[in-house]
């Protein structure tokens, strides 16, 4: 069949089917946790260093290219994600883990050596190809190590025997706890570390810092991580993955260029719209006919799965609108240094960490997961609504309070949505379901960066003193005051759009079927 490759069945080894044990497991788990932290850090480490990057590489037009700097990483990660699940099944998760980490480190080195915004954006895209697999493949590795929770294999569906109960009691809440702690630490450390390195060592070190840590993990993975050997034959749907990437790219370019670089009725925009529609149609056809699709359409027959994917995508959109543009507001409007701006996310990190710990244990004790998803969307919506009231002289404690609320909201959503999808997925489709929910989140994040960047530029162009947002730093007197007022109005519109996305997520969350984990 065109576009597919059948992998030869590997030989069973003595350790096949047997999980590793002893001290090596603890080391392997530590390596996985460091890898997840790298992934979380690099998804937001650039947010507080955008201004120093722009000043160095492109002080004239750089601010207008910030959305591309962020979206390039997310788009590449989105395009690569659908393949990772099947590659793990075919090649073994250890090989894919090493390959994804190597690509990520290569991209990090290229980012640090970039001499222009164009080079940096391209390098971020390459880095995103590896970064897209760091989180999802690492979760597969953790599951095979027996530490990521019980919802793997048949035990996820059955859960009726003593083994299923025991694994839930011992592992389920720990998974939520680890996820909350890592996400919270990443939210705090990422922007702060990015700002500190940009202020004191140069922005290039926000990428170079990945190299010693990542190389250590890479060496440890080669010699320490021992996983069961796969013996099942699988086909890799490269054609389906290519169509998914084509659709994502066309959709992102459509939202980035439409109405700004090109009129909505221009041949370029119309062509992109047609290309996105055609690519989506072909992708859906491919998923319906492929022997082993990368995103089986049968998953969408499950109500919880449909809503879970949609909510996760909206969460990606809203998170992009909050983190990046809060950082830009603090630096451009309030004159906060990059390092200090990163510290404003500490309340958000605290909220995510505490809620990640508490909600994971309560769900393991039998609380409904739907309760936390609904509650999370309520808190996140309230936080984003509060950010729409920002002005040039808003108290900075108001910003911190909004970010704390946001952390409480997102801390309930990120882990619980993935677990809901994993609980619902048929055992044989657990991998593609996990990468599927990550696909929707990263696609939402990429679209959020593009859409919100376009909204910011257009509102500022309509209300500002003329020119682009990149020229604010060179203005003085009344013109600067006018520009800052227009810029704040623009960010308020961005936060209003993010609020709308979270309110829609709240509506979908209320329609989730009631769920209760097995204690």
């Amino acid at each position: 069949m065109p576009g597919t490759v059948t992998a030869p069945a590997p030989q069973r080894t003595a350790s096949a089917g047997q999980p590793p044990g002893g001290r090596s497991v603890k080391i392997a788990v530590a390596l996985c946790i460091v890898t997840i932290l790298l992934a979380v850090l690099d998804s937001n480490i650039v947010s507080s260093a955008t201004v120093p990057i722009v000043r160095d590489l492109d002080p004239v037009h750089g601010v207008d290219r910030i959305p591309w700097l962020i979206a390039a990483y997310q788009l590449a990660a989105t395009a690569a994600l659908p393949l990772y699940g099947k590659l793990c099944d075919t090649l073994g998760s250890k090989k894919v883990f090493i390959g994804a980490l190597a690509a990520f480190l290569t991209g990090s080195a290229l980012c640090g050596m970039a001499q222009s915004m164009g080079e940096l954006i391209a390098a971020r895209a390459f880095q995103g190809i590896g970064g897209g697999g760091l989180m999802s493949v690492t979760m597969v590795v953790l599951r095979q190590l027996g530490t990521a929770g019980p919802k793997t294999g048949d035990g996820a569906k059955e859960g009726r025997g003593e083994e299923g109960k025991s694994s839930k009691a011992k592992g389920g809440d720990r998974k939520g706890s680890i996820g909350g702690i890592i996400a919270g630490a990443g939210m705090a450390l990422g922007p702060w570390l990015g700002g500190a390195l940009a202020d004191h060592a140069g922005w290039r070190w926000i990428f170079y810092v990945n190299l010693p840590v990542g190389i250590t993990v890479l060496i440890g993975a080669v010699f320490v991580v021992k996983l069961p050997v796969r013996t099942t034959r699988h086909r890799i749907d490269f054609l389906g993955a290519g169509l998914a990437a084509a659709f994502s790219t066309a959709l992102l370019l459509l939202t980035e260029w439409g109405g700004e670089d090109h009129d909505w009725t221009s041949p370029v925009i119309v062509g992109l719209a047609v290309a996105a529609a055609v690519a989506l149609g072909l992708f859906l056809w491919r998923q319906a006919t492929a022997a082993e699709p990368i995103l089986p359409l049968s998953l969408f027959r499950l109500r919880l799965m449909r809503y879970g994917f949609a909510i996760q995508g909206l969460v990606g959109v809203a998170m992009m609108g909050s983190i990046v543009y809060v950082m830009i507001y603090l630096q451009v409007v309030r004159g906060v240094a990059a390092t200090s701006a990163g510290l404003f996310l500490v309340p958000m990190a605290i909220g995510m960490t505490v809620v990640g710990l508490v909600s994971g244990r309560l769900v393991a004790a039998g609380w409904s997961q739907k309760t936390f998803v609904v509650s999370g969307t309520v808190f996140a919506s309230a936080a984003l609504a509060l950010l729409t009231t920002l002005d040039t002289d808003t108290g900075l404690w108001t910003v911190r309070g909004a970010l704390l609320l946001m952390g409480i909201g997102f801390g309930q959503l990120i882990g619980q949505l993935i677990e809901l999808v994993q609980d619902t997925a048929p055992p044989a489709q657990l991998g593609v379901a996990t990468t599927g929910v990550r696909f929707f989140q990263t696609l939402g994040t990429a679209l959020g960066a593009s859409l919100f960047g376009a909204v910011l530029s257009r509102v500022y162009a309509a209300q500002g003193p003329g020119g682009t947002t990149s020229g604010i730093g060179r203005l003085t007197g009344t013109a600067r005051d006018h520009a800052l007022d227009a810029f704040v109005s623009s960010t308020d519109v961005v936060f209003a759009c993010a609020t709308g996305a979270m309110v829609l997520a709240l509506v979908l969350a209320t329609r989730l079927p009631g769920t209760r984990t097995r204690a």
Side-chain angles (χ1 to χ4, degrees), residues 197-266:
L197 290 172
D199 285 344
H200 302 294
W203 63 264
R204 298 180 188 277
W205 281 95
I206 69 177
F207 302 110
Y208 288 148
V209 74
N210 293 330
L211 300 181
V213 179
I215 291 173
T216 302
V217 173
L218 194 63
I219 295 173
V222 171
F223 294 104
V224 177
V225 175
K226 307 295 182 182
L227 298 176
V229 175
R230 295 284 186 178
T231 59
T232 305
R233 298 170 65 90
H234 286 279
R235 294 177 177 178
I236 302 175
D237 184 14
F238 288 113
L239 177 58
L243 290 170
F247 164 70
S248 303
T249 302
L251 185 61
L252 181 63
L253 291 175
L254 178 67
T255 57
E256 174 68 21
W257 289 346
E260 185 172 355
D261 296 311
H262 303 277
D263 292 333
W264 286 105
T265 56
S266 68

Side-chain angles (χ1 to χ4, degrees), residues 227-514:
L227 298 176
V229 175
R230 295 284 186 178
T231 59
T232 305
R233 298 170 65 90
H234 286 279
R235 294 177 177 178
I236 302 175
D237 184 14
F238 288 113
L239 177 58
L243 290 170
F247 164 70
S248 303
T249 302
L251 185 61
L252 181 63
L253 291 175
L254 178 67
T255 57
E256 174 68 21
W257 289 346
E260 185 172 355
D261 296 311
H262 303 277
D263 292 333
W264 286 105
T265 56
S266 68
V268 172
I269 297 302
V270 173
L272 284 172
V274 172
V278 171
L280 178 60
L282 290 174
F283 174 73
L284 294 176
W285 165 79
R286 179 63 182 175
Q287 299 315 288
T289 58
E292 293 192 38
I294 59 174
L295 187 62
L297 299 183
S298 59
L299 292 176
F300 293 90
R301 299 193 188 105
L302 303 173
R303 179 181 173 188
L304 193 148
M305 194 75 68
R306 293 195 303 271
Y307 288 141
F309 285 162
I311 295 171
Q312 192 79 348
L314 291 168
V315 168
V317 170
M319 286 188 71
M320 178 55 61
S322 57
I323 297 173
V324 173
Y325 289 95
V326 167
M327 293 296 100
I328 294 175
Y329 164 82
L330 290 171
Q331 294 178 71
V332 173
V333 178
R334 308 306 295 270
V336 178
T339 304
S340 301
L343 292 176
F344 274 75
L345 290 182
V346 170
M348 184 176 181
I350 292 173
M352 292 188 71
T353 302
V354 173
V355 169
L357 288 165
V358 174
S359 63
R361 293 186 179 277
L362 291 178
V363 167
W367 283 49
S368 170
Q369 291 169 313
K370 177 181 177 179
T371 299
F372 293 103
V373 175
V374 172
S375 174
T377 54
V378 169
F379 275 96
S381 298
L384 289 165
L386 183 58
L387 288 175
T388 63
T389 66
L390 292 182
D391 204 342
T392 55
D393 57 356
T394 300
L396 294 180
W397 280 105
T398 300
V399 178
R400 294 185 179 97
L403 291 173
L404 175 61
L405 284 177
M406 197 175 301
I408 293 173
F410 288 142
Q412 296 177 75
L413 289 169
I414 294 175
Q416 297 304 329
L417 281 169
I418 293 177
E419 288 202 18
L420 275 172
V421 168
Q422 290 175 335
D423 285 344
T424 308
Q429 296 178 330
L430 183 62
V432 291
T434 302
T435 55
V437 73
R438 290 278 302 150
F439 174 79
F440 279 95
Q441 181 181 345
T442 52
L443 181 60
T445 301
L447 286 175
S450 178
L451 287 170
F452 294 153
V455 168
L456 182 73
S457 297
R458 291 165 195 167
V459 175
Y460 181 81
Q463 299 183 9
T468 66
T469 54
S470 301
I472 294 177
R474 298 188 297 274
L475 299 176
T476 58
T478 304
R480 177 176 175 79
D481 293 339
H482 183 194
L484 291 179
D485 287 337
F487 189 85
V488 170
S489 297
S490 303
T491 57
D492 287 346
V493 174
V494 167
F495 293 130
C497 293
T499 303
M502 284 311 305
V503 170
L504 179 56
L506 172 60
V507 173
L508 295 178
T510 60
R511 296 179 61 82
L512 286 170

Side-chain angles (χ1 to χ4, degrees), residues 46-238:
V46 175
S47 61
S48 62
T50 51
V51 173
I53 290 173
V54 165
R55 287 172 181 163
D56 184 20
L57 296 182
D58 190 352
V60 178
H61 303 293
V63 171
D64 296 326
R65 296 183 180 180
I66 286 176
W68 274 112
L69 178 61
I70 299 164
Y73 182 94
Q74 299 296 342
L75 177 60
T78 303
L81 255 175
L83 274 177
Y84 277 114
K86 287 295 182 183
L87 286 174
C88 285
D89 290 337
T90 302
L91 304 176
S93 57
K94 177 177 177 177
K95 292 181 180 178
V96 180
F97 174 80
I98 291 172
L101 184 56
F104 174 79
L105 294 176
T106 302
S108 297
L110 293 174
C111 285
M113 294 185 291
Q115 298 300 312
S116 67
M117 284 294 288
E119 290 181 10
L120 181 58
I121 290 170
R124 277 288 280 176
F126 188 87
Q127 187 189 34
I129 294 175
L134 289 187
M135 183 72 77
S136 55
V137 176
T138 303
M139 292 305 296
V140 175
V141 173
L142 278 172
R143 285 179 174 273
Q144 291 185 342
L145 290 169
T147 61
K151 292 180 282 295
T152 58
D154 296 336
K157 269 311 211 190
E158 296 169 359
R160 288 181 288 268
E162 293 304 318
E163 183 178 353
K165 292 180 180 180
S166 129
S167 61
K168 177 67 190 172
K170 294 178 182 178
D173 61 336
R174 182 167 61 175
K175 179 183 176 183
S177 300
I178 292 176
I181 292 171
I182 293 175
M187 288 294 176
L189 290 175
W192 174 81
L193 182 61
L197 290 172
D199 285 344
H200 302 294
W203 63 264
R204 298 180 188 277
W205 281 95
I206 69 177
F207 302 110
Y208 288 148
V209 74
N210 293 330
L211 300 181
V213 179
I215 291 173
T216 302
V217 173
L218 194 63
I219 295 173
V222 171
F223 294 104
V224 177
V225 175
K226 307 295 182 182
L227 298 176
V229 175
R230 295 284 186 178
T231 59
T232 305
R233 298 170 65 90
H234 286 279
R235 294 177 177 178
I236 302 175
D237 184 14
F238 288 113

